[in-house]
Amino acid sequence: MAQHIGILTSGGDCPGLNAAIRGLAKAAREHFGMRVIGFLNGFRGLAQDQTMELDGAMLSGILTDGGTILGTSRDKPHRMIIGGKMLDMTDAVVSTYHRHHLDALVCLGGGGTQKNALRLVETGLNVVTLPKTIDNDIALTDRSFGFDTALQIATEAVDRLHSTATSHERIIVVEVMGHRAGWLALEAGIAGGADVILLPEIPYDVKKIAEAIRRRTQSGKRFSIVVVAEGAMSIDDAQSVDALVRERDRADSKKDRAEVSEKLRAFHDEHVGHTIRLTRNLEKLTGQETRLTILGHLQRGGTPSASDRVFATWLGTECAEALNAEKFGVMLALQGSVLKQVPISEVAGQKRLVALNHPLINAGRLVGTSFGD
């Protein structure tokens, strides 16, 4: 009998989702004879049984489209707001899975999606995941689709800001996304010739950044480009977070852990404006006019790059082959030049961060880039 497959997209949108949906569904339907349905708006659609038949007409023309035809959300099966109340909808998810006689569910998403997928695996469902995020921070894969497009957008922004920086002899600070991983800032910064790159993995000293900029000024270079990851922190802020994490880990009760976790949440909420404070401090310390550009969700939108279309299509078709072979409980990961099946249990809850000895950090230092340390 033909397999019945469900697909959902969860977490933030990004370029390449439609390409992955198309690659998976076309291969599953046309080569392996599977029936494929999509669940709308992530795990919420799975809990509430909101579906879309992924036939040829629905898949036609979506390869180059950004976003996702299925819609997405950040809802979690075990913590979903329904009617104003926080409910555990795991049983509803399992019921929907069996109501449609699914043989497997494919979840396209980032770190949060991997954790939610693992919870469903633990209920006995057959699940396969694909790595999607502009942050490029999913464990055990060298690459996630969506990253290349976001990198191109961020690099183009840095390129464009060079002209105004040079014309007005300004410091231009550019904040890019990436959550708590520095891949986007690191690669966009190097590609755009940034003079300073600030990563979450390397706590910075604003005085050292100012010193690096002053040295440029003294050498006759009257402008500077500073690329900052949204999760970058000063040394003092990083020490505060480390102290809170240690306090949470030492907590004896669930109540105490919850209280410290709330302090951490409040800290990160307040930290959202850190790049504004950094910009003001650099202007004071250097005496040079300083302007800030926050790229924000521009990096998520638009037409996916050729590289992301190719990679997402490859992942989707490889996923169809894994489903046909009944390989479940795995995420498809790029390691080197090969796609491998890695256990979701080894991915969930882990992060792929920039190692301090990464060759790109060394390359940046060798061309004179400051990392604020």
Side-chain angles (χ1 to χ4, degrees):
M1 293 179 63
Q3 287 185 315
H4 290 205
I5 305 301
I7 304 175
L8 63 80
T9 56
S10 180
D13 70 299
C14 80
L17 279 168
N18 286 327
I21 292 168
R22 173 183 176 274
L24 168 54
K26 282 178 71 70
R29 290 177 67 257
E30 298 171 14
H31 192 77
F32 296 109
M34 300 174 183
R35 175 177 177 249
V36 185
I37 61 171
F39 291 97
L40 305 181
N41 302 318
F43 291 103
R44 178 169 290 271
L46 184 59
Q48 298 180 335
D49 198 3
Q50 301 170 351
T51 65
M52 170 193 295
E53 192 77 23
L54 292 176
D55 56 18
M58 287 303 306
L59 300 172
S60 179
I62 68 171
L63 175 65
T64 60
D65 291 344
T68 165
I69 60 169
L70 296 177
T72 187
S73 72
R74 297 189 184 277
D75 290 301
K76 305 173 183 178
H78 66 297
R79 287 177 57 83
M80 194 175 296
I81 297 177
I82 305 291
K85 297 181 179 179
M86 184 71 74
L87 301 177
D88 185 343
M89 298 296 288
T90 304
D91 289 344
V93 164
V94 173
S95 295
T96 300
Y97 179 97
H98 291 300
R99 187 179 305 116
H100 289 279
H101 307 290
L102 295 183
D103 295 289
L105 174 71
V106 181
C107 302
L108 284 63
T113 300
Q114 307 302 323
K115 289 191 284 187
N116 290 325
L118 179 60
R119 293 186 180 98
L120 298 186
V121 170
E122 291 170 346
T123 69
L125 303 189
N126 294 329
V127 181
V128 177
T129 64
L130 300 184
K132 167 241 58 168
T133 174
I134 69 169
D135 304 335
N136 209 34
D137 63 349
I138 300 176
L140 301 186
T141 183
D142 295 340
R143 182 175 166 196
S144 306
F145 68 85
F147 174 72
D148 183 74
T149 307
L151 175 59
Q152 287 193 21
I153 293 168
T155 302
E156 182 180 352
V158 174
D159 290 346
R160 289 176 178 273
L161 289 166
H162 259 105
S163 60
T164 191
T166 55
S167 297
H168 292 273
E169 298 186 347
R170 287 173 172 165
I171 299 169
I172 296 290
V173 179
V174 188
E175 182 187 288
V176 302
M177 298 179 85
H179 197 47
R180 295 174 193 169
W183 296 107
L184 196 52
L186 177 61
E187 297 198 28
I190 289 178
D195 307 296
V196 179
I197 301 174
L198 303 180
L199 310 178
E201 294 86 350
I202 304 177
Y204 65 80
D205 182 338
V206 68
K207 293 180 180 178
K208 290 187 177 180
I209 300 170
E211 288 172 8
I213 291 172
R214 281 196 295 267
R215 285 196 298 270
R216 282 179 52 78
T217 303
Q218 291 164 3
S219 67
K221 298 173 182 177
R222 303 290 298 175
F223 74 95
S224 293
I225 301 291
V226 181
V227 173
V228 187
E230 63 182 347
M233 292 187 187
S234 68
I235 292 172
D236 290 343
D237 283 347
Q239 290 174 344
S240 296
V241 169
D242 289 344
L244 286 170
V245 169
R246 288 194 298 270
E247 183 181 347
R248 182 189 61 189
D249 293 343
R250 290 196 303 266
D252 295 326
S253 67
K254 186 176 181 180
K255 178 183 177 183
D256 291 340
R257 283 193 296 275
E259 288 178 354
V260 180
S261 294
E262 178 59 27
K263 291 179 184 177
L264 273 169
R265 185 197 64 77
F267 177 89
H268 287 299
D269 285 347
E270 183 180 342
H271 188 67
V272 168
H274 78 100
T275 316
I276 297 173
R277 295 189 292 273
L278 171 66
T279 302
R280 291 171 180 165
N281 287 335
L282 285 177
E283 186 164 275
K284 290 177 182 177
L285 290 170
T286 63
Q288 193 169 352
E289 188 177 14
T290 306
R291 293 291 182 266
L292 169 63
T293 297
I294 299 176
L295 298 183
H297 286 79
L298 279 173
Q299 297 155 97
R300 289 192 182 279
T303 302
S305 67
S307 179
D308 269 336
R309 293 181 219 175
V310 171
F311 183 46
T313 300
W314 183 22
L315 281 169
T317 54
E318 191 83 8
C319 181
E321 292 196 297
L323 294 169
N324 186 61
E326 299 185 347
K327 301 293 185 181
F328 307 128
V330 297
M331 181 188 81
L332 293 181
L334 181 68
Q335 297 183 355
S337 60
V338 179
L339 284 183
K340 295 186 178 180
Q341 299 168 8
V342 298
I344 298 173
S345 59
E346 295 181 12
V347 177
Q350 305 301 314
K351 288 283 187 186
R352 176 178 176 267
L353 303 178
V354 179
L356 298 183
N357 62 349
H358 194 279
L360 287 182
I361 292 180
N362 184 55
R365 295 192 192 280
L366 289 175
V367 296
T369 306
S370 168
F371 288 88
D373 58 345

